[in-house]
Amino acid sequence: MNNNSATSPMIVSFGEMLIDFVPDVAGVSLAESYAFIKAPGGAPANVACAIAKLGGNAAFIGKVGDDEFGHMLANLLKKSGVNSDGICFDKDARTALAFVTLKADGQREFMFYRSPSADMLLKESELKLDLIKQAKIFHYGSISLISEPCKSAHMAAMKAAKQAGVLLSYDPNVRLPLWPSPEAARDGIKSIWDQADFVKVSDDEVEFLTKGDPKKDDVVMSLWNDNFKLLIVTDGPEGCRYFTKKFKGKVNGYKVKTIDTTGAGDAFVGAFLQAVAKDPNLFNDENKLKEALEFANACGAISTTQKGAIPSLPDKAQAEKLIKEAK
């Protein structure tokens, strides 16, 4: 963590932190896997670590179990340079676990153990609201909307951020197995759609939310809301597309040897939020926006070249090197 990160604008991530168990061999089902590697995860926590790794000022708010895994995760955040003042420990519930299978192409399937897990039990009264109000950006997903009391805490945190003039960043991170049904997921994810200043969705998520072809701009634009400053669609190795009130376009991705795509979107989001925190005017300047997205694409690409979400997060030098080599 560099010394000036504490003075740079703070980005607060809210939501779940858990342990992903990733098979040591790719391309086999959970049943066929012999051994699993313990990998810290949870999208909002990954984003916080991504920001800290790039020298940014990141904080995380969420709940883990008062168990070995929970303390391991909290310590990992601290070690990564993330402000962990907003982490609570639940005496009665366990830290969430997810078993992840890696298919041969690095894509994933999930099996979750959350019945209920500590992250779902975060209460509004446990929120560090002062931390949220100090932020430049408040970032969240949709998993924290699935069940109470966490949903109410999420809504209260968003409201406090909005009232304090904080920018709201939303990456829905669709995880269907966690929702009661696909319809419930669609409704839940869209229930806070109009609140965000910017939203990042993957091409698969566009398809899920619209039931249309994500390659078509008019399908993507059906997700547009006039409160948005920016809508980003990530297209995996192809790069990303951006849509603002004034302009839209595409930024190409980078070709790398992909091993595990877990956390690639989070590396991308962290890098992008770090750029926005430094220069909130990005939304109005297409060249600056493209530059930030180029850097975010590079961070996303590098993160797929190693197993696990957090260990594979790049630093600034690695991303700049990839961009330079590609040119």
Side-chain angles (χ1 to χ4, degrees):
M1 178 173 160
N2 65 12
N3 297 327
N4 67 358
S5 71
T7 53
S8 59
M10 184 168 61
I11 302 162
V12 174
S13 280
F14 171 88
E16 69 284 351
M17 182 162 54
L18 57 134
I19 309 264
D20 289 332
F21 284 93
V22 188
D24 60 350
V25 180
V28 293
S29 69
L30 282 179
E32 293 161 343
S33 300
Y34 178 71
F36 293 88
I37 295 157
K38 187 177 72 188
N46 296 342
V47 168
C49 290
I51 291 161
K53 186 89 182 258
L54 293 168
N57 183 1
F60 176 77
I61 293 179
K63 201 176 201 185
V64 290
D66 190 4
D67 51 37
E68 289 242 352
F69 284 154
H71 288 283
M72 178 199 119
L73 290 171
N75 290 335
L76 174 81
L77 281 191
K78 281 188 196 124
K79 242 195 345 246
S80 303
V82 175
N83 174 323
S84 57
D85 295 347
I87 297 178
C88 319
F89 296 90
D90 196 295
K91 288 260 180 284
D92 304 311
R94 292 271 187 240
T95 302
L97 308 179
F99 285 83
V100 186
T101 43
L102 294 180
K103 298 189 211 154
D105 61 358
Q107 292 299 324
R108 316 142 302 168
E109 283 169 352
F110 294 88
M111 184 163 87
F112 292 92
Y113 283 69
R114 298 169 90 231
S115 56
S117 54
D119 58 287
M120 300 157 73
L121 302 176
L122 180 70
K123 297 194 282 285
E124 190 181 330
S125 59
E126 294 170 316
L127 287 174
K128 273 257 190 302
L129 290 175
D130 52 336
L131 198 60
I132 294 169
K133 289 171 186 166
Q134 287 166 35
K136 184 92 189 169
I137 301 171
F138 181 64
H139 174 75
Y140 48 87
S142 70
I143 291 173
S144 40
L145 295 171
I146 296 173
S147 49
E148 293 290 4
C150 187
K151 182 182 178 182
S152 292
H154 180 139
M155 301 305 278
M158 241 169 45
K159 190 176 167 191
K162 197 138 193 118
Q163 282 171 347
V166 180
L167 287 167
L168 299 190
S169 160
Y170 184 23
D171 176 356
N173 253 307
V174 177
R175 296 284 178 268
L176 281 183
L178 294 180
W179 292 87
S181 68
E183 293 69 45
R186 222 174 264 115
D187 294 346
I189 286 162
K190 285 184 166 173
S191 68
I192 57 165
W193 202 251
D194 57 347
Q195 299 285 316
D197 290 290
F198 38 97
V199 169
K200 174 242 144 195
V201 275
S202 69
D203 46 358
D204 294 346
E205 288 165 343
V206 171
E207 190 174 347
F208 171 70
L209 292 169
T210 64
K211 302 182 181 173
D213 179 356
K215 289 186 174 53
K216 294 186 172 149
D217 283 358
D218 58 333
V219 171
V220 173
M221 283 308 285
S222 71
L223 293 173
W224 178 263
N225 183 285
D226 272 341
N227 294 339
F228 291 175
K229 290 181 169 66
L230 174 70
L231 173 64
I232 297 176
V233 179
T234 52
D235 294 307
E238 302 301 310
C240 66
R241 286 170 282 160
Y242 57 89
F243 303 82
T244 74
K245 288 188 171 83
K246 299 193 186 97
F247 45 76
K248 62 176 192 180
K250 178 182 184 335
V251 181
N252 289 327
Y254 295 89
K255 294 277 175 279
V256 292
K257 192 177 183 309
T258 293
I259 291 171
D260 175 11
T261 58
T262 309
D266 305 324
F268 173 94
V269 169
F272 182 69
L273 293 184
Q274 167 70 341
V276 175
K278 280 193 198 140
D279 182 7
N281 239 347
L282 271 184
F283 304 121
N284 308 314
D285 182 331
E286 190 166 10
N287 287 331
K288 279 184 176 173
L289 177 65
K290 286 176 94 154
E291 213 172 281
L293 291 172
E294 206 168 77
F295 184 77
N297 279 346
C299 290
I302 293 165
S303 80
T304 68
T305 59
Q306 217 183 308
K307 273 197 191 120
I310 293 172
S312 63
L313 291 168
D315 58 26
K316 202 165 172 239
Q318 284 173 292
E320 283 166 352
K321 184 170 173 259
L322 179 63
I323 294 168
K324 208 167 146 189
E325 283 166 3
K327 291 205 159 120

